[in-house]
């Protein structure tokens, strides 16, 4: 029994889960509306875009990399998708697929530059962030596209459950987390991702194709950016070139770090990332309910990130 308790307490998701429970307890004490089913469903709606982005970000960070471009690539896909559907008359499904392919293309570019030219991931994705940012404004001419076909808005539709209205996008996000969990824990590819992040050279010497693993995680980060863009368009019903370029990107990294994934690679799990994304959503929602201005919400989020990274640094030193 004692051994079971020790295993549970030492599980990597316990810390983030306790933080989530404490945050929810605090905001429920400060606001009577916080625990209402409708408000909690709103938190999940706000989390679904960041959560999907954070799946790809987790895969990259597990390999000791980082992708700074996911938010800008998301914005580009929104414009490609909505402009094709509204201005060019392209049917919704082909428009979505072309937009997602654009994001996957950026992921492949990031992965190729990291693996083939061996550029640092930070520099590569900082460059592609600026490329995607520029292309977003060039393609859109700084116009916002509205009047979208209903098929583009499917994931923003709601259904009633436990006195709250939940979107199909939230369900899809949870399905993607389940798939990512299976891929990381139940497949050889998942074990290779952890091995590359723990020690890339040792992984290569054991016969793992490290370049292929790295290329795959950056490609999947691009894919999740594309899916997140579909969810954001469905939620806002707009193709806005200015939305999502920085906030979602930073929040996705925040979710991964708060979820316990190490920035040094090789340690972390996707369930922690889901909890971390919910923590971000709970703080944003709770602070809004108690009347805290948006600028101070960013301040609190920044402090949370620094604390989480500090814990990661101390843990890394202890394990080294």
């Amino acid at each position: 029994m004692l051994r079971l308790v020790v295993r549970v307490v030492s599980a990597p998701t316990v810390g983030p889960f306790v933080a989530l429970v404490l945050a929810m307890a605090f905001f429920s004490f400060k606001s009577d509306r916080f625990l209402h089913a409708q408000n909690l469903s709103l938190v999940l709606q706000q989390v679904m875009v960041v959560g999907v982005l954070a799946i790809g970000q987790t895969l990259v960070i597990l390999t000791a990399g980082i992708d700074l471009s996911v938010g800008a690539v998301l914005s580009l896909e929104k414009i490609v998708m909505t402009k094709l559907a509204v201005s060019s008359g392209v049917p919704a499904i082909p428009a979505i697929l072309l937009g997602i392919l654009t994001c996957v293309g950026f992921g492949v570019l990031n992965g190729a530059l990291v693996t083939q030219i061996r550029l640092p991931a930070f520099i590569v994705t900082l460059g592609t962030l600026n490329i995607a940012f520029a292309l977003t404004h060039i393609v859109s001419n700084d116009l916002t596209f509205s009047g979208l076909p209903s098929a583009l808005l499917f994931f923003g539709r709601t259904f009633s459950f436990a006195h709250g209205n939940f979107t199909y996008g939230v369900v899809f996000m949870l399905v993607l987390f389940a798939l990512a969990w299976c891929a990381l824990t139940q497949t050889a590819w998942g074990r290779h991702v952890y091995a590359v992040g723990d020690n890339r050279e040792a992984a290569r010497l054991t016969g793992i194709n490290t370049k292929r693993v790295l290329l795959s995680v950056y490609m999947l980060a691009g894919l999740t950016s594309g899916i997140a863009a579909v969810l954001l368009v469905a939620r806002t019903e707009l193709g806005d070139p200015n939305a999502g370029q920085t906030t979602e990107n930073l929040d996705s990294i925040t979710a991964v770090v708060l979820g316990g994934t190490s920035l040094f690679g090789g340690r972390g799990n996707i369930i922690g990332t889901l909890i971390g994304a919910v923590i971000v959503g709970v703080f944003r929602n709770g602070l809004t309910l108690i009347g805290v201005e948006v600028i101070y919400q960013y301040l609190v989020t920044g402090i949370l990130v620094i604390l989480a990274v500090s814990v990661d640094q101390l843990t890394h030193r202890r394990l080294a």
Side-chain angles (χ1 to χ4, degrees):
M1 183 65 181
L2 179 60
R3 184 177 300 176
L4 177 61
V5 172
V6 171
R7 287 184 60 185
V8 171
V9 171
S10 60
T13 55
V14 168
F17 182 74
V18 170
L20 174 60
V21 171
L22 291 176
M24 294 183 69
F26 172 78
F27 288 120
S28 64
F29 175 76
K30 299 292 288 186
S31 173
D32 294 336
R33 292 185 294 162
F34 179 77
L35 288 180
H36 287 185
Q38 190 58 40
N39 184 63
L40 294 179
S41 70
L42 178 61
V43 171
L44 291 177
Q45 290 176 45
Q46 295 169 336
V47 161
M48 67 181 182
V49 175
V50 171
V52 172
L53 275 180
I55 292 173
Q57 194 73 256
T58 301
L59 299 177
V60 173
I61 291 177
L62 279 173
T63 62
I66 196 164
D67 192 342
L68 302 176
S69 68
V70 291
V73 171
L74 175 152
S75 291
L76 176 59
E77 201 245 316
K78 284 191 306 174
I79 295 304
V80 170
M81 179 173 58
T82 55
K83 186 173 183 178
L84 285 173
V86 174
S87 299
S88 302
V90 176
I93 301 303
I96 291 172
L97 293 176
L98 288 171
I100 290 178
L101 284 175
T102 301
C103 294
V104 173
F106 268 89
V108 171
L109 175 62
N110 287 336
L113 291 173
V114 169
T115 58
Q116 301 302 322
I117 306 182
R118 297 185 179 181
L119 295 176
F122 181 90
I123 299 301
V124 169
T125 57
L126 181 62
T128 52
L129 179 156
N130 285 281
I131 293 171
F133 175 84
L135 287 175
T136 298
H137 290 276
I138 291 170
V139 173
S140 68
N141 289 319
D142 288 326
L143 298 175
T144 297
F145 298 93
S146 57
L148 306 179
S150 60
L152 282 179
L153 308 179
F154 171 77
F155 288 112
R157 296 175 186 169
T158 61
F159 62 94
S160 297
F161 178 76
H163 305 291
N165 294 321
F166 296 85
T167 65
Y168 291 104
V170 169
V171 176
F172 190 44
M173 175 195 70
L174 296 175
V175 169
L176 291 177
F177 268 100
L179 291 174
W181 178 84
C182 289
L184 283 172
T185 62
Q186 307 299 316
T187 68
W189 175 82
R191 292 190 290 274
H192 292 171
V193 169
Y194 280 100
V196 170
D198 188 49
N199 190 319
R200 187 183 304 182
E201 182 61 19
R204 186 187 66 81
L205 292 175
T206 60
I208 296 173
N209 190 329
T210 57
K211 290 184 177 181
R212 184 181 299 172
V213 171
L214 288 171
L215 182 62
S216 68
V217 298
Y218 283 98
M219 183 181 71
L220 288 170
L223 175 62
T224 54
S225 296
I227 295 172
V230 175
L231 298 181
L232 184 57
V233 167
R235 183 167 177 261
T236 62
E237 301 186 3
L238 293 172
D240 184 356
N242 297 307
Q245 295 198 12
T246 55
T247 303
E248 274 76 10
N249 185 33
L250 295 176
D251 281 354
S252 71
I253 297 173
T254 302
V256 176
V257 173
L258 290 178
T261 296
S262 174
L263 292 173
F264 298 97
R267 182 165 53 85
N269 65 82
I270 202 71
I271 302 303
T273 296
L274 175 58
I275 296 173
V278 176
I279 290 174
V280 172
V282 163
F283 266 91
R284 289 279 167 82
N285 177 269
L287 291 172
T288 299
L289 286 178
I290 63 178
V292 176
E293 296 181 19
V294 173
I295 192 65
Y296 291 103
Q297 296 179 26
Y298 285 106
L299 176 64
V300 172
T301 303
I303 293 171
L304 287 174
V305 172
I306 292 173
L307 289 174
V309 173
S310 298
V311 172
D312 178 40
Q313 178 78 5
L314 292 172
T315 303
H316 180 76
R317 289 178 182 174
R318 183 166 55 86
L319 295 175

